[in-house]
Amino acid sequence: MVEGDTDREDVARAVCEAAGGKLIGFYGLLGQEHHVALIADMPSVSEYVGTVLAATMGGAIESFKTIPMYSSAESHKARDVYKQVKGTYAPPTN
């Protein structure tokens, strides 16, 4: 990354877009276990995993951490699902 002249953000954007997603942010991290953070909006987990596999198998990254995020609208939907299913769950008995 330091010796070459390749813009890694452009490469990450191209891979995300090839899988039908969108790169929202590309950030460097100081003093962290991982040195780069990407924020991407991908159509599904399958497209996300495919992009990570491409980068990992290609040797671009050796380790990564995924932090799924959800929107306020998804939180509201989760609340509605909770209300729908809460009466069907019972904790296991000993």
Side-chain angles (χ1 to χ4, degrees):
M1 191 165 124
V2 177
E3 298 294 329
D5 61 357
T6 303
D7 186 334
R8 304 314 301 162
E9 182 174 357
D10 287 346
V11 172
R13 180 175 287 104
V15 174
C16 287
E17 290 175 355
K22 179 180 179 184
L23 181 66
I24 296 171
F26 186 97
Y27 304 95
L29 303 173
L30 297 173
Q32 302 301 312
E33 176 184 357
H34 299 286
H35 304 287
V36 176
L38 283 76
I39 300 175
D41 184 9
M42 302 302 287
S44 75
V45 172
S46 299
E47 285 83 0
Y48 164 72
V49 171
T51 60
V52 170
L53 284 172
T56 304
M57 300 304 289
I61 59 175
E62 60 183 53
S63 68
F64 65 95
K65 181 177 184 179
T66 300
I67 302 172
M69 299 188 308
Y70 55 91
S71 67
S72 178
E74 290 167 320
S75 177
H76 291 260
K77 184 176 179 181
R79 178 199 58 213
D80 295 342
V81 170
Y82 161 76
K83 288 178 180 180
Q84 176 185 341
V85 303
K86 70 179 181 181
T88 63
Y89 174 77
T93 58
N94 293 343

